[in-house]
Amino acid sequence: MMTYIVFILSVIFVVSFVGFSSKPSPIYGGLVLIVSGGVGCGIIMNFGGSFLGLMVFLIYLGGMLVVFGYTTAMATEQYPEVWVSNTTVMGVFLLGLLMEVMLVLYVLKSEEVGVVFKFSSVGHWAIYDTGDSGVFSEEIMGVAALYSYGAWVVIVTGWSLLVGVLVILEVTRGD
Amino acid sequence: MNPLIFTTILMTVLLGTMIVMMSSHWLMIWIGFEMNLLAIIPILMKKYNPRTMEASTKYFLTQATASMLLMMAIIINLMHSGQWTITKVFNPTASIIMTSALAMKLGLTPFHFWVPEVTQGISLTSGLILLTWQKLAPMSILYQISPSINLNILLTMAVLSILVGGWGGLNQTQLRKIMAYSSIAHMGWMTAVLVYSPTLTMLNMLIYIMMTLTMFMLFIQSSSTTTLSLSHTWNKTPLTTTLILITLLSMGGLPPLSGFMPKWMIIQELTKNSSIILPTLMAIMALLNLYFYMRLTYSTSLTMFPSTNNMKMKWQFETKQITLLPPLIVMSSLLLPLTPMLSILD
């Protein structure tokens, strides 16, 4: 099972995406996002990106999703929609599950999957392993490089975040 | 809106487009598009009513989808070439997805449905920014990837855009929707010649921006958003009726006005590349555009449209000061004799 762990995790990833794309109430969407965030972290860690997985848990799940959960809890309705409460939601969820099952069978049956681009096995992606040149991990060196050579990226992303907050405040303020 | 916040957000729109146009790394280009999109939403929603909110939501959804497609194309390009520079798109799949994403951002058929609805829901000034400044960033990326674009897809989208822009504008009386359909048609002309000579795309973009700026400013001056209110300009400022006539005919592509220059150059470039049916079709379909411009001039400048008697005796309190309107009018109508100067571009 450990040799196919990335495949299994990616299937769970897609299923949880189907889970929140079928639009239950945001609270349940947040629940499924936690699952998908954790599973995504597992996929990245299997390629050697331990730092990036930690970032997903800390920042995405522990920061952004917590704030999202609190705001949704303030704005939620009395009987939020679950996957089984509404026929439409359940139908879309089952349709997504069905498509994922068919895709998994296609992958397991044939050597190579060529939907938008050719994908033959997980080993095919091994060239995108987060590097480890033996002395230091390239991941964390990337963060260090962000603050030295990539100072322009820091300025642009910092400015985008500030303007994002300004825009949201402006849009929700009304008249 | 607080003037300081408004200035900051407007500067961010400019910064976003500048980042898109000046970056050589695909990720920075994507960041520039997102910054542009995020900052223009409050500008579209300056007046707070359900129409602007709906228009801003539609704009946000379509542009965000286009950004997602662009990101997918960037990642496919990265997968096949291993590098992030923008010089050449190495994979045909990535090129097709990128072209579709940029077509969604520009408003080319079959992704044109948002343009009239969004332009109609927002104020005239916001519509002006939407139809002129927002076209610069995607067009600059199309210019940079033009050697690797699939010709069939781009030409199909271009010809369909000219057709839709002409036909869709036929039954409109709202001026903002007319300008939106005119924008769709002009984008079609621009992308038709992109693969053959990107310089002409930029020329068309320049002249289109000048003419659209002029038209919008003439509308803003008379605060008119429908054909009916535009037909009252003879009473408010009689001179603008003539200027509206000249600028609309220039937009329709009639010689001896400057709007003829891009069309002429594009048709010449296409025929030099041995495609004859295509420019013939494009020129015939531009007649549809000319028809509804002519209808606007008919009701505005050439006849006194029927109106009630109190509309014929308007008080004029203060004329709006429109920045740079006279130079814009001159440039959007009298540039045709400068066509030989285009030889400096080679």
Side-chain angles (χ1 to χ4, degrees), chain A residues 120-154:
Chain A
S120 58
S121 68
V122 177
H124 196 214
W125 286 3
I127 50 173
Y128 299 106
D129 206 342
T130 59
D132 197 8
S133 71
V135 182
F136 47 83
S137 159
E138 283 179 2
E139 268 181 301
I140 306 187
M141 287 302 116
V143 177
L146 179 67
Y147 289 98
S148 65
Y149 309 118
W152 175 238
V153 182
V154 174

Side-chain angles (χ1 to χ4, degrees), chain B residues 112-309:
Chain B
H112 67 279
F113 292 100
W114 60 271
V115 188
E117 300 172 27
V118 172
T119 319
Q120 180 61 26
I122 55 186
S123 64
L124 274 172
T125 324
S126 307
L128 170 65
I129 300 179
L130 185 78
L131 288 183
T132 53
W133 184 258
Q134 295 293 91
K135 310 289 180 193
L136 282 179
M139 196 52 90
S140 76
I141 301 300
L142 273 177
Y143 181 94
Q144 286 173 312
I145 65 171
S146 62
S148 2
I149 298 182
N150 186 352
L151 188 64
N152 298 319
I153 287 194
L154 198 66
L155 278 185
T156 313
M157 288 201 283
V159 168
L160 284 178
S161 300
I162 303 175
L163 197 55
V164 163
W167 246 333
L170 279 186
N171 200 21
Q172 307 295 340
T173 53
Q174 294 283 335
L175 293 177
R176 288 170 287 183
K177 278 205 171 122
I178 287 181
M179 295 309 295
Y181 281 108
S182 135
S183 151
I184 298 173
H186 277 104
M187 290 296 135
W189 275 91
M190 283 183 230
T191 47
V193 78
L194 184 67
V195 184
Y196 298 104
S197 167
T199 319
L200 288 179
T201 306
M202 286 300 132
L203 171 75
N204 199 352
M205 172 68 92
L206 187 66
I207 299 199
Y208 160 73
I209 288 181
M210 280 196 295
M211 295 191 297
T212 311
L213 264 177
T214 316
M215 277 320 297
F216 265 103
M217 286 187 177
L218 287 169
F219 293 156
I220 289 172
Q221 190 188 36
S222 46
S223 300
S224 49
T225 53
T226 60
T227 312
L228 185 61
S229 59
L230 192 67
S231 64
H232 294 140
T233 25
W234 65 268
N235 202 342
K236 291 186 241 185
T237 42
L239 184 57
T240 39
T241 49
T242 322
L243 301 173
I244 288 176
L245 168 71
I246 295 180
T247 317
L248 275 174
L249 290 181
S250 181
M251 283 194 89
L254 289 185
L257 303 169
S258 45
F260 180 59
M261 183 180 4
K263 291 196 163 63
W264 172 24
M265 292 289 115
I266 288 175
I267 292 179
Q268 186 171 11
E269 191 62 37
L270 283 172
T271 49
K272 271 191 222 168
N273 280 291
S274 316
S275 80
I276 306 187
I277 304 180
L278 180 71
T280 315
L281 274 178
M282 283 163 57
I284 292 177
M285 294 189 290
L287 285 177
L288 291 167
N289 262 340
L290 185 62
Y291 175 69
F292 57 78
Y293 297 143
M294 285 294 302
R295 200 168 49 191
L296 267 185
T297 62
Y298 180 77
S299 66
T300 311
S301 338
L302 301 178
T303 57
M304 276 171 57
F305 210 60
S307 53
T308 52
N309 274 334

Side-chain angles (χ1 to χ4, degrees), chain B residues 56-105:
Chain B
S56 314
T57 314
K58 278 183 196 163
Y59 185 67
F60 184 75
L61 285 176
T62 52
Q63 300 283 306
T65 313
S67 290
M68 284 197 291
L69 279 176
L70 184 65
M71 183 48 111
M72 177 162 162
I74 292 172
I75 292 180
I76 296 177
N77 185 28
L78 175 68
M79 204 166 88
H80 285 267
S81 64
Q83 46 91 32
W84 292 89
T85 56
I86 195 183
T87 46
K88 185 169 137 67
V89 181
F90 286 91
N91 188 18
T93 313
S95 168
I96 292 176
I97 297 179
M98 210 174 274
T99 314
S100 314
L102 293 169
M104 276 178 85
K105 284 199 175 283

Side-chain angles (χ1 to χ4, degrees), chain A residues 116-118 124-125 127-128 152-153 155-157 159-160 162-168 170-175, chain B residues 1-2 5 8-9 12 15 19 23 28 31 35 38-39 41-42 45 48 72 76 78-80 82 93 97:
Chain A
V116 176
F117 45 85
K118 287 204 188 328
H124 196 214
W125 286 3
I127 50 173
Y128 299 106
W152 175 238
V153 182
I155 295 172
V156 167
T157 44
W159 183 253
S160 308
L162 175 66
V163 169
V165 172
L166 285 181
V167 162
I168 288 171
E170 194 54 52
V171 164
T172 52
R173 187 173 70 123
D175 208 358
Chain B
M1 210 191 284
N2 184 1
I5 305 286
T8 313
I9 289 180
T12 310
L15 180 65
I19 289 177
S23 295
M28 291 304 292
I31 293 178
M35 193 195 283
L38 200 59
I41 295 297
M45 284 180 55
Y48 198 70
M72 177 162 162
I76 296 177
L78 175 68
M79 204 166 88
H80 285 267
T93 313
I97 297 179

